[in-house]
Every structure is written in C-alpha cells, then in structure tokens.
Amino acid sequence: MSILVDKNTKILVQGITGAQASFHVQRALKYGSKIVAGVAPNKNDKTYLGLPLFGSVNEAAEKTGATASIVFVPAKYAKSAIIEAIHAHLSLVVVITSGIPVRDMMEIREELSKSSTILVGPNTPGIITPQEAYMGIFPSDFHQKGKIGIISRSSTLTYEVVLEINQLGFGESTIVGLGDDLILGSNFIEMIKLFNSDTDTDAVILIGGIGGNYELEIADYYSAIDFKKPIFALIQDDFSLLSQNVGLASDIMCRGISSSEDKRKILEKAGICVVDTISSLKEKLAELC
Amino acid sequence: MNIHEYQAKKIFKQFGINVPKGLIAYTPLEAKEVAEKVSEFGPWVVKAQIQSSSRDAGRFSDKRAGKKGGIRLSKSLDEVFDNADDMLENLLVTNQTGAKGRLVSRVYVEEFIKTTKKFYLSLVIDWTVASTVLLVAPISDKDDENIIQIASDNPERILKVNLGLQKKINSEQLQQIISFMNMPVEVSILKSFLNKMLNLFYTCDVTLLEINPIGIAKNGNIWALDAKIVFDENALYRHPEIPPLFDDSEIEERELIASKFGFQYRELESGMGIIVNGDGLALSTINQAKQIGLDTACFLNLKGGVDRDKIAAGIKLIMTNPGVDGIFINILGGFSRCDLIADGIITVANDLGLNIPLVARFEGTNKDEATAILQKSGLPLAIASNTEKGLLLLKNAIAEDI
C-alpha cells in the first residue's frame, strides 16, 4: 500500500502541451505512472505524446476513468483549471504551477472546502510512490521503496532528505510535496492521517517551510490522537534570512511565536521528534532501526 | 512588494480612507515649504520614508540626529526644518532594517491630528486557513508601536476577526469590534472605514494592509495616521499602475537584478557564495556549512529557473561579488535542469575567468549531462556527490587558495 497514488491511479494532465509539462509527462510515463489523457482547450480529438486530448476535465474523466489530475497550467489561468477539476469531482488534484495569486488560491480553497477533492500544491514537485508511479516533476532515479512516509513544504530539501536516508538503507512509502507556497491545498495533518492508516508506512518525516502556522497545527492534532506512528520533524533555523517583513501583522498571526526555537519546543511537547539538520535527522532515524 | 507610507496614503485617499493632509519633501528647505501648504499654524509631523515598521522606535546612525526616532512632532516651521535636516541623507535603523539601516531620501510632512485614542488595525491573510483576518488592538502612548510585545505577552488584547472571503463587514462583526474597542465610536463611521479598507484590500490584490495606528478624534472621526500596503507579487499583472510605485533604491543592487530574473539573492556575512534552487535547500546548505566552519557571504536561489541566459546572468552575480572566496553550487531536483545550470557556469567562467575555487553538486534532472559539460570544460573546478563532501572540498580548496 501507499497513499494517494499508486501504479493503478488513472491520471490526466491539464496543460499537457506546454514545454515543461511535455518533458515531465514523458518521464512519468516511463516511470510507470498511468497517465491516460491530456486536457487542452480547443484540441479535442487530437492526440499528444500518444495520449488522447480532451477539451474539458469532465469529458476526459468520463471517457478514460481518470480520477486524478496533474495541473501544469500557467499561473494566470490556473484558478479556472483547478476549479474545473474540483467541479469534475476528481479525487486528487496535484498542482505543479507556481506563482498563483494569493486571492485565487483563497477562492480555490473555498471551492475545495465544499468538495471531497484532495488538492496537493501548488508549487509542488508532486507525489511519488517509489517504483510505482508519480504525479509531478520528480527526478526518477533516486527514490527507493520503503517504509518512511514524507510530507514536505520544501521541494529541494525533500530530495536531499531522500538521498540521505536512502544511504542508511531506508526507503519511502509515499512522498507528498505540499508545496512551497503560503496557501496550500492540503496541510500536514491531512497527510499524517493518511499515513497513520497506511500499513506500509512505519514512520513519518515532516519537512517544515517558511511562513504560516502549518507546523504548529500539527502539535495540537498529534497530542490529541491515541494511535500514532513516530514523527520526525525537520525545522530549520533562520527563516528570517529569507523573508522580508515590513508589517507586523504576520508576526501577530503566528501567536507571537516567531522563532524556529519556539516552534520546535511546541512540537516536542506534543511528542514529535524535532531536528534542525539533516545529519541529526539521520541520527534519530538510525535509532529507529 | 511594498511601497512607502506616503504612496500608500495616496492610495488610501483614492479609496476614500481618511488620511491627514501631507506632502513629500526631499530637502529640509522643501520640508519647510510644504509644511506651510499642509497646515497654516501646525503642529506638523515629520516622518522618515523608509519601508519598515517601528520607525518611531528606530534610531539614526549619524549622531547629529540625536536620540529621537524617525517620526517627530514639530511645533514650528523651524522645527520641521531641523527634523527634516536630521533625517534626510541619514540611515535609520529599526528592528526590521538590519544593523546597517536604510537611507532616508525623503520625508513626509503631515498635519498633526489630535486624537483621543489610538488603535492598531490591519487586514492580513491567515495562510493556513486561507482567510482574511482583521486585527484590532488598543495602543496606549506608552507601548506605542509595540504590538508584537502585546501579541506574545497579552494576546487577549488583540481582537482577531475572521472574515473569510467577505468583501464587506457584517453587523455582527461590527458589534464585536465596537464592544472590544470599548469607546464611543459611531457605528456608521467605523463601518464605512472598514469597508473601504476591505475594498482596497480586494481590489488591489493586497496581502497586508496595516494601519499602526488609527486615531479617533474627539468628533468621532477615524484617521489613518499610518499606512502600510504589501501587494501580492503574483497578482501584479492585474495592476499595471502599482509596479511604478516601487522604490528600488532600498533594495541592494544584486538583489534587484536577481529579482528581475525571477531569482532570489541575499547577502549575509563573508565567506563563500552559494547557488541553489530552493529556499529550504539554501537554509540547509548554509547551516551545514556553518557546522564545518564555512561562512556564507551570499546565496542565489535560482528557484525553478529554466532559462539559459537568465541562469548565466544569475551566476554572474555570485561570481562577480568581490567578497566571495569560493563558490558552492548545490542543485537538486526535478524542475531545475542541471545541464542548463552547467552551461551557465561555463558561459560566465569563459567570460570573466574563474579565479576562486568552485565546487558543484548536481542531483536530479540531467545531472550526468551537467557533470559531463563541466568536466569537458577544462575549468579548475570540482564535482561532489553530496552536500557534505562538496562543502569539505570547497573548504580545503579555499584554505589552499589563501
């Protein structure tokens, strides 16, 4: 088992004809992802990369049985593409697009709350279940099948973590890139729930990101549940290096908790193993064996 | 993307939000002249225009300005002149500017509005729940501008009203705000003030609209005594009138060039320069380097950039930084193309020469092609298989270089 995506997941691609999308779709097909259709307005009845093209998500899903979509549509048009996928009742939508306006994401979240669709991203490398399938832009050669679930808000750091833990002999059940943006379709908690009931996952690694209260939410959730798998959270220092705050409101919104030190303490109190570097993550994981 | 207070106030005015009369001045003499136009008898407030909070609590680095901050009440035209003279061409240091501070190139001269009570008021986005939030907090003269302290010590003194995607405030929320403010404000005035704020917030794709503080006058009028607007960078294509307002002079030149290419460049202390393709990776590389005693002078985040020429221009920013004593290139992942980055390195190195140690580590899309490109180039550089090894290689190379 795994979560969200496996070799049987039927996938369609929105915005398939773009250069980046074409490049990554071909690689994903080679990897084993069951991509069955592309959606491109006004290109109905044509084929592309050997896949049938449809004018709408609804039609593509109906004719091919696809239940999941990867969105490569440019930021300006991403909102309508994503809402179209939600309205078509797809169970999973993975948004690779970066640079979607904040207001558009807020409206997307509003639509999402009225549906049962799971949205992952935007600005994410996607989801990969090693040696089965992926939805997104993963380099295909360095994930190993295994028992660790990974949920991440930092794309590049995910690759680094995977490389390092694989050297220890670990592998991954599924890796979910939540995305590097501030407004996300899914949060850590939703994914922890899925990993918690996945028999192939023994432990979960969380990789924190910049801004928002996503990491703090986990503490409230995790300390309240009974059955839980071990969680390791990588929370880095010095996020202030990267943000250029001018207002005060964002600090107020973080409950006055601005330093990563405070974030760590709150997570530790909830029973989560918190580390600040990849090397200490490796040490803690080694103890798990 | 931020703008100055005086620009924000101009936009406030366009949206009907009540702001004191004010004019901008670039010299002390100009300040005195505009003060006369702003108000006949004064008093006036002279305000340093830099993009930072807590300007009042800030201090100027040049001692001639004395120990007062960047917002000063001035009772006579001569005082306006003196205060403007203190501030202009001086560096103002606040808790958001870094130790160097920011150069004050203009001051805003405003009429002084007598108010009986002040409140912090802002519209902000709660990212996690994807909702607009209104924040209100009373500000006493004693802890003026120190709203962060209130947030951590007495969070109950800040009212948070969740507005979702509402474009107008409803009567229930209005009642809640009024009873929290605990003072006689006329409902219709407050309602119209808040709705104008919300209108601006939505119309211009604003992610932060902060007034620290609003003042309430004896006659019940509400004044925006301060104004801060942060725009959503990703939505600027919908607002062509906004980018011309941005003041590039506050941004370091290299940062500015990088941002024009869609990259992020930051200067830290001294040491090596890092080129990466992600925020998280930048931090982890810097932290890992620190552990083996390597300091970082600057880093460039290429994000998911896939344009050959832009990548080369970005790499040039690091290579031409005179403070950099070695370069570490750490690229991981799917969207970035390692081969394009390798091409960029070669282009710049052939152009400018490579006089400092360079170590590259590629992992991900087309990494073998990238390695081959670098090896074939004959340039004096090294290739590493992971971050740790790369950093050690660079450390030794820098030591030998010196």
Side-chain angles (χ1 to χ4, degrees):
Chain A
M1 260 178 76
S2 55
I3 70 166
L4 298 169
V5 181
D6 60 28
K7 57 179 186 282
N8 300 315
T9 310
K10 285 189 179 174
I11 303 159
L12 59 84
V13 178
Q14 292 173 262
I16 192 169
T17 51
Q20 292 304 322
S22 308
F23 178 80
H24 290 287
V25 165
Q26 282 168 295
R27 291 164 62 100
L29 281 165
K30 241 184 247 169
Y31 194 79
S33 305
K34 203 168 188 177
I35 298 174
V36 295
V39 175
N42 310 321
K43 300 223 170 112
N44 226 343
D45 296 333
K46 293 195 180 123
T47 61
Y48 188 74
L49 308 174
L51 299 167
L53 284 185
F54 297 93
S56 74
V57 174
N58 245 328
E59 196 189 347
E62 226 165 74
K63 298 226 169 110
T64 63
T67 56
S69 169
I70 315 173
V71 179
F72 280 103
V73 175
K76 274 187 192 179
Y77 313 105
K79 183 177 92 179
S80 60
I82 294 166
I83 290 179
E84 186 189 345
I86 296 171
H87 287 172
H89 305 294
L90 295 186
S91 51
L92 177 64
V93 180
V94 176
V95 184
I96 309 302
T97 311
S98 63
I100 299 178
V102 167
R103 214 70 73 205
D104 294 4
M105 263 320 288
M106 290 172 79
E107 288 171 32
I108 290 165
R109 279 276 297 265
E110 172 96 353
E111 285 300 320
L112 206 58
S113 66
K114 294 182 263 178
S115 79
S116 57
T117 301
I118 293 177
L119 181 78
V120 171
N123 194 12
T124 171
I127 308 172
I128 183 166
T129 296
Q131 286 164 32
E132 290 205 30
Y134 71 82
M135 293 174 68
I137 55 170
F138 289 93
S140 27
D141 51 358
F142 64 76
H143 303 91
Q144 278 170 29
K145 203 172 187 64
K147 295 274 191 183
I148 308 274
I150 298 182
I151 315 167
S152 174
R153 282 186 66 200
S154 168
S155 323
T156 43
L157 205 52
T158 313
Y159 301 123
E160 187 82 318
V161 166
V162 166
L163 284 170
E164 294 284 339
I165 69 168
N166 286 359
Q167 275 178 7
L168 292 178
F170 288 101
E172 301 79 44
S173 54
T174 299
I175 299 167
V176 183
L178 294 177
D180 291 27
D181 278 4
L182 285 165
I183 299 190
L184 300 173
S186 295
N187 58 36
F188 284 106
I189 295 172
E190 294 167 76
M191 296 303 135
I192 293 172
K193 282 182 189 164
L194 295 175
F195 276 127
N196 227 358
S197 47
D198 174 38
T199 49
D200 272 354
T201 303
D202 287 347
V204 181
I205 295 174
L206 311 178
I207 301 171
I210 300 158
N213 286 329
Y214 292 101
E215 287 79 13
L216 292 173
E217 278 185 345
I218 306 164
D220 299 340
Y221 165 76
Y222 195 69
S223 50
I225 54 169
D226 290 333
F227 171 73
K228 45 194 156 194
K229 294 177 180 174
I231 293 186
F232 302 86
L234 175 60
I235 309 281
Q236 296 202 82
D237 270 333
D238 292 333
F239 281 150
S240 58
L241 280 181
L242 299 169
S243 63
Q244 268 188 326
N245 257 346
V246 281
L248 303 166
S250 58
D251 287 345
I252 299 170
M253 290 304 295
C254 288
R255 313 179 197 174
I257 297 160
S258 48
S259 76
S260 37
E261 188 54 43
D262 292 340
K263 254 188 191 178
R264 279 192 211 121
K265 275 185 197 146
I266 289 169
L267 288 169
E268 264 164 10
K269 225 173 139 189
I272 290 164
C273 174
V274 186
V275 293
D276 59 354
T277 61
I278 295 178
S279 43
S280 44
L281 173 69
K282 281 163 74 180
E283 280 165 31
K284 296 285 179 192
L285 272 179
E287 290 169 18
L288 198 68
C289 303
Chain B
M1 288 291 153
N2 323 306
I3 55 173
H4 288 296
E5 175 198 2
Y6 74 96
Q7 296 167 315
K9 280 186 168 159
K10 211 167 161 187
I11 298 175
F12 272 28
K13 227 170 145 184
Q14 285 162 15
F15 280 80
I17 299 168
N18 207 11
V19 293
K21 214 167 150 191
L23 286 166
I24 199 77
Y26 294 84
T27 65
L29 199 62
E30 233 177 37
K32 203 172 160 179
E33 282 166 16
V34 300
E36 282 189 281
K37 290 182 196 159
V38 163
S39 158
E40 204 175 337
F41 305 109
W44 301 267
V45 187
V46 179
K47 308 175 98 178
Q49 298 297 293
I50 61 162
Q51 288 163 21
S52 164
S53 295
S54 311
R55 285 171 294 162
D56 194 24
R59 289 295 171 264
F60 287 93
S61 61
D62 189 333
K63 300 261 180 321
R64 73 182 149 94
K67 281 191 173 163
K68 285 194 285 179
I71 293 172
R72 299 180 180 186
L73 184 66
S74 312
K75 287 186 177 136
S76 68
L77 289 170
D78 287 339
E79 264 185 59
V80 169
F81 181 94
D82 289 344
N83 282 326
D85 193 35
D86 282 350
M87 295 179 191
L88 285 161
E89 303 310 314
N90 204 341
L91 290 159
L92 179 56
V93 183
T94 75
N95 53 17
Q96 286 185 342
T97 60
K100 220 162 80 186
R102 294 227 178 101
L103 186 71
V104 180
S105 63
R106 62 199 104 175
V107 293
Y108 192 49
V109 183
E110 229 178 25
E111 61 172 329
F112 172 75
I113 303 280
K114 199 167 163 39
T115 54
T116 53
K117 189 124 197 200
K118 288 176 185 168
F119 291 89
Y120 170 93
L121 185 62
S122 68
L123 289 171
V124 59
I125 290 166
D126 184 335
W127 309 109
T128 320
V129 297
S131 164
T132 302
V133 174
L134 175 81
L135 297 174
V136 192
I139 299 283
S140 68
D141 280 334
K142 196 174 69 211
D143 50 27
D144 202 13
E145 298 245 0
N146 206 355
I147 184 82
I148 297 299
Q149 202 57 42
I150 300 177
S152 63
D153 298 347
N154 307 89
E156 72 286 349
R157 278 179 57 194
I158 299 175
L159 176 70
K160 278 189 201 176
V161 186
N162 219 317
L163 301 176
L165 291 175
Q166 264 173 256
K167 295 192 172 80
K168 288 219 154 93
I169 203 112
N170 67 34
S171 53
E172 202 179 311
Q173 291 157 339
L174 205 56
Q175 272 316 315
Q176 190 190 359
I177 296 161
I178 285 174
S179 70
F180 176 84
M181 288 171 86
N182 191 25
M183 68 171 297
V185 226
E186 202 168 315
V187 183
S188 62
I189 294 179
L190 183 67
K191 183 178 166 186
S192 123
F193 192 90
L194 295 175
N195 282 341
K196 284 170 185 164
M197 275 177 74
L198 270 167
N199 184 23
L200 165 58
F201 194 69
Y202 275 93
T203 308
C204 297
D205 276 291
V206 173
T207 55
L208 170 67
L209 201 171
E210 187 171 72
I211 312 177
N212 184 24
I214 58 161
I216 297 175
K218 229 177 182 166
N219 62 4
N221 270 349
I222 303 174
W223 293 86
L225 299 178
D226 172 50
K228 198 155 289 138
I229 304 178
V230 178
F231 297 97
D232 178 5
E233 227 170 302
N234 293 332
L236 286 177
Y237 70 89
R238 300 199 271 239
H239 310 284
E241 73 286 3
I242 291 167
L245 300 176
F246 298 142
D247 179 12
D248 289 347
S249 69
E250 282 197 19
I251 308 171
E252 299 275 336
E253 197 189 340
R254 284 170 207 271
E255 268 181 44
L256 192 65
I257 296 169
S259 73
K260 285 192 175 140
F261 293 127
F263 307 148
Q264 181 187 34
Y265 174 91
R266 286 275 183 284
E267 280 189 9
L268 311 169
E269 290 139 40
S270 58
M272 62 167 177
I274 297 178
I275 298 173
V276 291
N277 61 329
D279 277 345
L281 187 63
L283 286 177
S284 79
T285 309
I286 292 166
N287 287 338
Q288 228 172 317
K290 214 184 280 167
Q291 284 180 342
I292 63 159
L294 258 184
D295 288 329
T296 306
C298 54
F299 72 84
L300 175 75
N301 177 1
L302 294 169
K303 300 187 181 172
V306 286
D307 181 298
R308 200 181 296 261
D309 296 335
K310 287 183 185 168
I311 291 172
I315 293 169
K316 204 167 165 183
L317 290 176
I318 296 275
M319 284 204 185
T320 56
N321 185 330
V324 169
D325 58 11
I327 297 173
F328 184 49
I329 296 173
N330 201 11
I331 304 295
L332 276 161
F335 207 81
S336 298
R337 295 256 304 270
C338 298
D339 53 329
L340 294 182
I341 293 164
D343 276 346
I345 298 168
I346 304 237
T347 309
V348 181
N350 284 340
D351 226 27
L352 305 168
L354 182 61
N355 310 316
I356 47 171
L358 185 149
V359 177
R361 180 272 183 119
F362 293 117
E363 198 62 67
T365 306
N366 293 353
K367 71 164 179 176
D368 295 338
E369 287 87 334
T371 309
I373 291 169
L374 289 188
Q375 276 166 343
K376 228 171 50 195
S377 72
L379 287 167
L381 46 79
I383 291 163
S385 60
N386 67 29
T387 305
E388 197 183 346
K389 285 179 190 158
L391 289 170
L392 280 170
L393 267 176
L394 187 67
K395 191 186 175 184
N396 294 336
I398 292 173
E400 277 170 30
D401 213 38
I402 296 164

